[in-house]
Amino acid sequence: MNLLTKMLEKKNYSPNYVCEIGVWHPHTSNIKYYIERNIKTLLIEPDPESIALIKKEWGDRKNLILKTFACTDFDGTIDLHKAGSSSFVSSSKSSPAIVNDSFDMKNNLSIKVDAKKFSNEDPGDINLISIDTEGSEWFVIKHMSSRPDVISIETHGGYYVNPYIGEIKKWMDDYNYKLWFKDNSDSVYVKKDVIKINYDEILFLLLKNVHLFFRRTVKGLKLFFRNT
């Protein structure tokens, strides 16, 4: 049980429909707990290797729908730059692989994958969504029809900050979401009238922000000395 699931369990919250965009491998899924408890699930993943693993692990599950495309700002095809769990699409302004690992797009493998706006497949009644697309998360939010109770979204990690963090925060404010907690890569937002945030959780978020500030500073120094 990961942090997201533990925090929701403490609130006695159980979703009816969950979605994950950018799964990578089944064992790293942020919503694995709900998938394996037969909660209705939509998974979206563009990488053929990951798709094969998902089908092998969960292919016979009646509660799961798997869609095989990258969520983008348009419909068509796009380059997926292969960087393991940090693989990203070419429309990303920035990504953890580029910022933290100095990923060179010209000298690494990329493949063509299908690309769609999320609105093409969003059923409109998702309760919980996890978005980890290595820099293109905003394109999911921008074209989302559902208004989930819980949104987990990759916003940071090491020296990396999501290039659309301003747009993401504004959208959350506009649609009445509150930042609940963070881990080392994700921010979790909740509808203000669904999940009540207590003082301990506010303190936990404050301390986590301090922790992340020092992690980012240390990572920045390492990158500086590595490149000099």
Side-chain angles (χ1 to χ4, degrees):
M1 190 180 292
N2 60 13
L3 179 60
L4 174 62
T5 306
K6 288 178 181 177
M7 294 288 281
L8 290 172
E9 286 284 294
K10 286 181 181 179
K11 298 292 187 181
N12 295 313
Y13 179 86
S14 181
N16 296 316
Y17 198 156
V18 297
C19 175
E20 184 166 27
I21 302 176
V23 185
W24 196 48
H25 290 178
H27 70 272
T28 64
S29 170
N30 208 24
I31 59 169
K32 183 175 186 285
Y33 176 86
Y34 297 111
I35 294 171
E36 297 182 348
R37 278 152 186 80
N38 290 316
I39 302 299
K40 189 176 181 181
T41 301
L42 170 64
L43 298 181
I44 299 178
E45 170 60 50
D47 190 326
E49 292 180 9
S50 296
I51 291 165
L53 291 172
I54 293 166
K55 287 181 176 179
K56 181 178 179 181
E57 183 75 14
W58 292 325
D60 59 348
R61 286 199 162 271
K62 303 301 183 184
N63 62 306
L64 188 150
I65 297 170
L66 173 62
K67 299 291 183 176
T68 57
F69 63 89
C71 289
T72 55
D73 211 18
F74 61 92
D75 299 331
T77 61
I78 197 167
D79 289 327
L80 177 70
H81 297 288
K82 298 275 283 179
S85 61
S86 297
S87 296
F88 60 97
V89 293
S90 57
S91 59
S92 299
K93 288 182 181 178
S94 179
S95 79
I98 293 172
V99 174
N100 292 326
D101 304 318
S102 301
F103 184 89
D104 183 354
M105 288 185 285
K106 293 181 180 178
N107 295 311
N108 282 280
L109 177 65
S110 66
I111 59 173
K112 291 285 185 183
V113 297
D114 290 334
K116 291 183 182 181
K117 294 177 182 176
F118 181 47
S119 54
N120 291 339
E121 301 292 346
D122 183 355
D125 56 350
I126 294 166
N127 304 125
L128 185 160
I129 190 167
S130 176
I131 312 167
D132 183 355
T133 54
E134 307 297 318
S136 58
E137 289 80 5
W138 167 239
F139 301 137
V140 177
I141 295 291
K142 181 180 178 181
H143 297 289
M144 183 165 63
S145 303
S146 296
R147 294 295 178 263
D149 298 329
V150 182
I151 301 175
S152 177
I153 183 167
E154 186 177 45
T155 55
H156 56 274
Y159 198 63
Y160 167 80
V161 176
N162 193 295
Y164 296 96
I165 191 63
E167 290 90 338
I168 292 168
K169 287 181 176 179
K170 184 180 184 304
W171 189 95
M172 296 297 175
D173 287 339
D174 289 346
Y175 289 98
N176 205 33
Y177 285 87
K178 181 79 173 176
L179 179 58
W180 183 18
F181 69 90
K182 294 180 180 180
D183 63 19
N184 287 339
S185 60
D186 298 350
S187 296
V188 177
Y189 290 86
V190 293
K191 279 185 177 176
K192 295 178 182 179
D193 58 344
V194 175
I195 302 289
K196 303 301 181 184
I197 302 173
N198 61 41
Y199 289 113
D200 288 344
E201 291 162 350
I202 293 172
L203 178 60
F204 176 73
L205 177 59
L206 177 63
L207 293 174
K208 189 63 181 181
N209 280 332
V210 172
H211 171 73
L212 290 171
F213 171 79
F214 283 107
R215 278 175 60 96
R216 187 168 190 269
T217 300
V218 170
K219 182 65 175 180
L221 289 172
K222 287 181 179 179
L223 290 171
F224 174 78
F225 286 114
R226 187 174 73 188
N227 294 324
T228 56

